[in-house]
Amino acid sequence: VRLKNTVNIPLNSLKANAEGLPEDRTKNVVMICASGARSLSGMLVMKSLGYQKVHNLDGGLQAAAEAGIELER
């Protein structure tokens, strides 16, 4: 399950999966997980890779679904 037009990269393969990451490290990047906890760890990884504008979707996919945002399955 994910938001439309997003790329799903599991946290444990984030560093190794650079081809799915934006080349421009100054663009906004939003980290998303089910509840918002793992994506905080993902933010730290992205910052360690040099990304400058990394954000966390507060509440994750659960909050997005509750807000009526359509998810892809």
Side-chain angles (χ1 to χ4, degrees):
V1 177
R2 65 182 190 176
L3 294 177
K4 284 187 171 187
N5 301 316
T6 61
V7 176
N8 182 21
I9 302 174
L11 178 59
N12 61 358
S13 65
L14 193 55
K15 281 187 178 181
N17 211 347
E19 72 272 358
L21 301 176
E23 290 182 26
D24 184 351
R25 293 174 187 222
T26 63
K27 287 190 173 191
N28 285 307
V29 177
V30 179
M31 306 304 290
I32 306 169
C33 69
S35 66
R38 281 186 311 261
S39 53
L40 285 173
S41 296
M43 283 179 57
L44 295 175
V45 171
M46 294 296 284
K47 288 184 178 205
S48 76
L49 294 172
Y51 288 87
Q52 300 169 14
K53 298 177 183 176
V54 186
H55 311 278
N56 182 44
L57 181 63
D58 193 31
L61 291 173
Q62 180 178 348
E66 290 172 1
I69 297 172
E70 188 176 345
L71 303 177
E72 289 182 341
R73 299 195 182 272

